[in-house]
């Protein structure tokens, strides 16, 4: 199913319908199919086209996490939290805050013994 959806969405790239929503949808489908690298590329394009798209920031953070880039994931979540709070999207900000805290703990240097 996802492969057909991805193929159909890819056909729309470069058309008048190409925008943040298309890139978000394509990134989401790539994540569902297990292709986090392609998802990251599309979601980065989504937030470049609409920096106020908090849902895209959230999925971008997830994609970075899945491709093993925790610092980039944390940066995406922090940006997404700021966007979500500015828009009053409390649920998205709360969810991204949880993910960001986990990454901050993961990235924190181990205390000396």
């Amino acid at each position: 199913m996802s492969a057909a959806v991805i193929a159909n969405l890819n056909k729309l790239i470069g058309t008048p319908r190409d925008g943040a929503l298309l890139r978000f949808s394509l990134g989401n489908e790539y994540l569902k199919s297990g292709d986090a690298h392609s998802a990251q590329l599309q979601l980065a394009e989504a937030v470049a086209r609409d920096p106020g798209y908090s849902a895209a920031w959230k999925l971008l953070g997830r994609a970075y996490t899945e491709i093993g880039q925790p610092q980039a994931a944390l940066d995406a979540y922090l940006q997404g939290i700021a966007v979500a709070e500015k828009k009053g999207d409390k649920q998205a900000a709360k969810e991204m805050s949880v993910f960001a805290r986990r990454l901050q703990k993961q990235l924190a240097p181990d205390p000396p013994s």
Side-chain angles (χ1 to χ4, degrees):
M1 170 83 178
S2 230
V5 173
I6 288 169
N8 287 333
L9 291 173
N10 269 314
K11 289 177 188 174
L12 297 173
I13 291 179
T15 71
R17 295 184 64 192
D18 190 358
L21 179 59
L22 172 66
R23 299 304 179 114
F24 171 81
S25 300
L26 190 51
N28 189 35
E29 289 302 318
Y30 276 126
L31 274 176
K32 287 183 198 174
S33 73
D35 186 351
H37 180 72
S38 294
Q40 178 269 317
L41 296 173
Q42 295 303 323
L43 293 163
E45 183 64 26
V47 298
R49 290 169 181 250
D50 182 359
Y53 201 161
S54 55
W57 284 109
K58 182 174 140 187
L59 283 188
L60 180 59
R62 183 173 146 209
Y64 275 128
T65 299
E66 290 186 17
I67 61 174
Q69 294 186 22
Q71 185 60 58
L74 177 59
D75 294 343
Y77 287 135
L78 293 175
Q79 183 67 39
I81 292 165
V83 165
E85 287 176 345
K86 185 176 179 184
K87 288 173 50 178
D89 189 353
K90 294 178 183 179
Q91 183 60 34
K94 185 177 178 180
E95 290 173 15
M96 286 185 277
S97 293
V98 169
F99 300 139
R101 276 194 301 276
R102 287 180 191 156
L103 285 168
Q104 286 168 329
K105 287 179 184 176
Q106 177 186 333
L107 292 168
D110 290 330
S113 316

Coordinates of all heavy atoms in Angstrom, one line a residue, residues 61-110:
G61 N 12.1 15.2 13.5 CA 12.8 14.7 14.7 C 12.8 13.2 14.7 O 13.9 12.6 15.0
R62 N 11.7 12.6 14.5 CA 11.6 11.1 14.5 C 12.5 10.5 13.4 O 13.2 9.5 13.6 CB 10.1 10.7 14.3 CG 10.0 9.2 14.4 CD 8.5 8.8 14.4 NE 8.4 7.6 13.6 CZ 7.3 7.2 13.0 NH1 6.2 8.0 12.9 NH2 7.3 6.1 12.3
A63 N 12.4 11.1 12.2 CA 13.2 10.6 11.1 C 14.7 10.7 11.4 O 15.5 9.7 11.2 CB 13.0 11.4 9.8
Y64 N 15.2 11.8 12.0 CA 16.6 11.9 12.4 C 16.9 10.9 13.4 O 18.0 10.3 13.4 CB 16.9 13.3 12.9 CG 17.2 14.4 11.9 CD1 16.5 15.6 11.9 CD2 18.2 14.2 11.0 CE1 16.8 16.6 10.9 CE2 18.5 15.2 10.0 CZ 17.8 16.3 10.0 OH 18.1 17.3 9.1
T65 N 16.0 10.7 14.4 CA 16.3 9.6 15.4 C 16.5 8.3 14.7 O 17.4 7.5 15.1 CB 15.1 9.6 16.4 OG1 15.0 10.9 17.1 CG2 15.3 8.5 17.5
E66 N 15.6 8.0 13.8 CA 15.7 6.6 13.2 C 16.9 6.4 12.3 O 17.3 5.3 12.1 CB 14.4 6.4 12.4 CG 13.2 6.2 13.3 CD 11.9 5.8 12.5 OE1 12.0 5.3 11.4 OE2 10.9 5.9 13.2
I67 N 17.5 7.5 11.8 CA 18.7 7.4 11.0 C 20.0 7.6 11.8 O 21.1 7.6 11.3 CB 18.7 8.3 9.7 CG1 18.7 9.8 10.1 CG2 17.6 7.9 8.8 CD1 18.8 10.7 8.9
G68 N 19.8 7.7 13.1 CA 20.9 7.7 14.0 C 21.6 9.1 14.1 O 22.8 9.1 14.3
Q69 N 20.8 10.1 14.0 CA 21.4 11.5 14.2 C 20.6 12.2 15.4 O 19.8 13.1 15.2 CB 21.2 12.3 12.9 CG 22.0 11.7 11.8 CD 22.0 12.6 10.5 OE1 21.7 13.8 10.6 NE2 22.3 12.0 9.4
P70 N 21.0 11.8 16.6 CA 20.3 12.3 17.8 C 20.4 13.8 18.0 O 19.4 14.4 18.4 CB 20.8 11.5 19.0 CG 22.2 11.0 18.5 CD 22.0 10.8 17.0
Q71 N 21.5 14.4 17.6 CA 21.6 15.9 17.8 C 20.7 16.6 16.8 O 20.1 17.6 17.2 CB 23.1 16.3 17.7 CG 23.3 17.8 18.0 CD 22.9 18.2 19.4 OE1 23.4 17.7 20.4 NE2 21.9 19.1 19.5
A72 N 20.7 16.1 15.6 CA 19.8 16.8 14.6 C 18.3 16.6 15.0 O 17.5 17.5 14.8 CB 20.1 16.2 13.2
A73 N 18.0 15.4 15.6 CA 16.7 15.1 16.0 C 16.3 16.1 17.2 O 15.2 16.7 17.2 CB 16.5 13.7 16.5
L74 N 17.2 16.3 18.1 CA 17.0 17.2 19.2 C 16.7 18.6 18.7 O 15.8 19.3 19.1 CB 18.1 17.2 20.2 CG 18.0 18.1 21.4 CD1 16.8 17.9 22.2 CD2 19.3 18.0 22.3
D75 N 17.6 19.0 17.8 CA 17.4 20.4 17.2 C 16.1 20.5 16.5 O 15.4 21.6 16.7 CB 18.5 20.6 16.2 CG 19.9 20.7 16.8 OD1 20.0 20.9 18.0 OD2 20.9 20.6 16.1
A76 N 15.6 19.5 15.8 CA 14.3 19.5 15.1 C 13.2 19.6 16.2 O 12.3 20.4 16.0 CB 14.1 18.3 14.2
Y77 N 13.3 18.8 17.2 CA 12.3 18.9 18.3 C 12.2 20.2 18.9 O 11.1 20.8 19.2 CB 12.5 17.8 19.3 CG 12.1 16.4 18.8 CD1 13.0 15.3 19.1 CD2 10.9 16.1 18.1 CE1 12.7 14.0 18.6 CE2 10.6 14.8 17.7 CZ 11.5 13.8 18.0 OH 11.2 12.5 17.5
L78 N 13.4 20.8 19.3 CA 13.4 22.1 19.9 C 12.8 23.2 19.0 O 12.0 24.0 19.5 CB 14.8 22.5 20.3 CG 15.5 21.6 21.4 CD1 16.9 21.9 21.7 CD2 14.7 21.6 22.7
Q79 N 13.1 23.1 17.7 CA 12.5 24.1 16.8 C 11.0 23.9 16.7 O 10.2 24.8 16.7 CB 13.1 23.9 15.4 CG 12.6 24.9 14.4 CD 13.0 26.4 14.7 OE1 14.1 26.6 15.2 NE2 12.1 27.3 14.5
G80 N 10.6 22.6 16.7 CA 9.2 22.3 16.6 C 8.4 22.7 17.9 O 7.3 23.1 17.8
I81 N 9.1 22.6 19.0 CA 8.4 23.0 20.3 C 8.2 24.5 20.2 O 7.1 25.0 20.6 CB 9.3 22.6 21.5 CG1 9.3 21.1 21.7 CG2 8.8 23.3 22.8 CD1 10.4 20.6 22.6
A82 N 9.2 25.3 19.8 CA 9.0 26.7 19.7 C 7.9 27.1 18.7 O 7.1 27.9 19.0 CB 10.3 27.3 19.2
V83 N 7.8 26.4 17.6 CA 6.8 26.6 16.6 C 5.4 26.3 17.2 O 4.4 27.1 17.1 CB 7.0 25.8 15.3 CG1 5.8 25.8 14.4 CG2 8.2 26.4 14.6
A84 N 5.3 25.1 17.8 CA 4.0 24.7 18.4 C 3.5 25.6 19.5 O 2.4 25.9 19.6 CB 4.2 23.2 18.9
E85 N 4.5 26.0 20.4 CA 4.1 26.9 21.5 C 3.6 28.3 20.9 O 2.6 28.8 21.4 CB 5.2 27.1 22.4 CG 5.5 25.9 23.3 CD 6.7 26.0 24.2 OE1 7.5 26.9 24.0 OE2 6.8 25.2 25.1
K86 N 4.2 28.8 19.9 CA 3.8 30.0 19.2 C 2.4 29.9 18.6 O 1.7 30.9 18.7 CB 4.9 30.4 18.2 CG 4.6 31.7 17.5 CD 5.8 32.1 16.6 CE 5.5 33.4 15.9 NZ 6.5 33.7 14.9
K87 N 2.1 28.7 18.1 CA 0.8 28.5 17.5 C -0.3 28.1 18.5 O -1.4 28.0 18.1 CB 0.9 27.4 16.4 CG 1.6 27.8 15.2 CD 1.9 26.6 14.2 CE 0.6 25.8 13.9 NZ 0.8 24.7 13.0
G88 N 0.2 27.8 19.7 CA -0.8 27.4 20.7 C -1.1 25.9 20.6 O -2.1 25.4 21.1
D89 N -0.3 25.1 19.9 CA -0.5 23.7 19.7 C 0.2 23.0 20.9 O 1.3 22.4 20.8 CB 0.1 23.3 18.4 CG -0.2 21.9 18.0 OD1 -0.8 21.1 18.8 OD2 0.1 21.5 16.8
K90 N -0.5 23.0 22.0 CA 0.0 22.5 23.3 C 0.3 21.0 23.2 O 1.3 20.5 23.8 CB -0.9 22.8 24.4 CG -1.1 24.2 24.7 CD -2.1 24.5 25.8 CE -2.2 26.0 26.0 NZ -3.1 26.4 27.0
Q91 N -0.5 20.2 22.5 CA -0.3 18.7 22.5 C 1.0 18.4 21.7 O 1.8 17.6 22.2 CB -1.5 18.0 21.9 CG -1.3 16.5 21.9 CD -1.2 15.9 23.2 OE1 -1.8 16.4 24.2 NE2 -0.4 14.8 23.3
A92 N 1.2 19.0 20.6 CA 2.4 18.8 19.8 C 3.7 19.2 20.6 O 4.7 18.5 20.6 CB 2.4 19.5 18.5
A93 N 3.6 20.4 21.3 CA 4.7 20.9 22.1 C 5.0 19.9 23.2 O 6.2 19.6 23.5 CB 4.4 22.2 22.6
K94 N 4.0 19.4 23.8 CA 4.2 18.4 24.9 C 4.8 17.1 24.5 O 5.8 16.7 25.1 CB 2.8 18.1 25.6 CG 2.9 17.3 26.8 CD 1.5 17.1 27.4 CE 1.5 16.2 28.6 NZ 0.2 16.0 29.2
E95 N 4.3 16.6 23.3 CA 4.9 15.4 22.8 C 6.4 15.6 22.4 O 7.2 14.7 22.8 CB 4.1 14.9 21.6 CG 2.7 14.4 21.9 CD 1.9 14.1 20.7 OE1 2.5 14.0 19.5 OE2 0.7 14.0 20.8
M96 N 6.7 16.6 21.7 CA 8.1 16.9 21.3 C 9.0 17.2 22.5 O 10.1 16.8 22.5 CB 8.1 18.0 20.3 CG 7.6 17.6 18.9 SD 7.9 18.9 17.7 CE 6.4 19.9 18.0
S97 N 8.4 17.7 23.6 CA 9.2 18.0 24.8 C 9.6 16.6 25.4 O 10.8 16.5 25.9 CB 8.4 18.8 25.8 OG 8.2 20.1 25.3
V98 N 8.7 15.7 25.4 CA 9.1 14.3 25.9 C 10.2 13.7 25.1 O 11.2 13.2 25.7 CB 7.8 13.4 25.9 CG1 8.2 12.0 26.2 CG2 6.8 13.9 26.9
F99 N 10.1 13.8 23.8 CA 11.2 13.2 22.9 C 12.5 14.0 23.1 O 13.5 13.4 23.1 CB 10.7 13.3 21.5 CG 9.5 12.5 21.2 CD1 8.5 13.0 20.3 CD2 9.2 11.2 21.7 CE1 7.4 12.3 20.0 CE2 8.1 10.5 21.4 CZ 7.1 11.1 20.6
A100 N 12.4 15.3 23.2 CA 13.6 16.1 23.4 C 14.3 15.8 24.7 O 15.5 15.7 24.7 CB 13.2 17.6 23.3
R101 N 13.5 15.6 25.8 CA 14.2 15.3 27.1 C 14.9 13.9 27.0 O 16.0 13.8 27.5 CB 13.1 15.2 28.2 CG 12.8 16.6 28.8 CD 12.1 16.5 30.1 NE 10.8 15.8 30.0 CZ 9.6 16.4 29.6 NH1 9.6 17.7 29.3 NH2 8.5 15.7 29.6
R102 N 14.3 13.0 26.3 CA 14.9 11.7 26.2 C 16.3 11.8 25.4 O 17.3 11.2 25.8 CB 14.0 10.7 25.4 CG 12.9 10.2 26.2 CD 12.0 9.2 25.4 NE 10.7 9.0 26.1 CZ 9.7 8.6 25.4 NH1 9.7 8.4 24.1 NH2 8.6 8.3 26.1
L103 N 16.2 12.6 24.4 CA 17.5 12.8 23.6 C 18.5 13.6 24.4 O 19.7 13.3 24.3 CB 17.1 13.5 22.3 CG 16.5 12.6 21.2 CD1 15.9 13.5 20.1 CD2 17.4 11.6 20.7
Q104 N 18.1 14.5 25.2 CA 19.0 15.3 26.0 C 19.7 14.4 27.0 O 20.9 14.5 27.2 CB 18.3 16.5 26.7 CG 18.0 17.6 25.7 CD 17.0 18.6 26.3 OE1 16.2 18.3 27.2 NE2 17.2 19.9 25.9
K105 N 19.0 13.5 27.6 CA 19.6 12.5 28.5 C 20.6 11.6 27.8 O 21.6 11.3 28.3 CB 18.5 11.6 29.2 CG 17.7 12.4 30.2 CD 16.6 11.5 30.8 CE 15.8 12.3 31.8 NZ 14.7 11.5 32.4
Q106 N 20.2 11.1 26.6 CA 21.0 10.3 25.8 C 22.3 11.0 25.3 O 23.4 10.4 25.3 CB 20.2 9.8 24.5 CG 21.0 9.0 23.5 CD 20.2 8.7 22.3 OE1 19.0 8.7 22.3 NE2 20.9 8.5 21.2
L107 N 22.2 12.3 25.0 CA 23.4 13.0 24.6 C 24.2 13.6 25.7 O 25.4 14.0 25.4 CB 22.9 14.2 23.7 CG 22.3 13.8 22.3 CD1 21.6 14.9 21.7 CD2 23.3 13.2 21.4
A108 N 23.7 13.6 26.9 CA 24.5 14.1 28.0 C 25.7 13.3 28.3 O 25.6 12.0 28.3 CB 23.6 14.2 29.3
P109 N 26.9 13.9 28.5 CA 28.0 13.1 28.8 C 27.9 12.4 30.2 O 27.2 12.9 31.1 CB 29.2 14.1 28.9 CG 28.5 15.4 29.1 CD 27.1 15.3 28.6
D110 N 28.4 11.2 30.2 CA 28.3 10.4 31.5 C 29.1 11.1 32.6 O 30.3 11.6 32.3 CB 28.9 9.0 31.3 CG 28.0 8.1 30.4 OD1 26.8 8.4 30.4 OD2 28.5 7.3 29.7

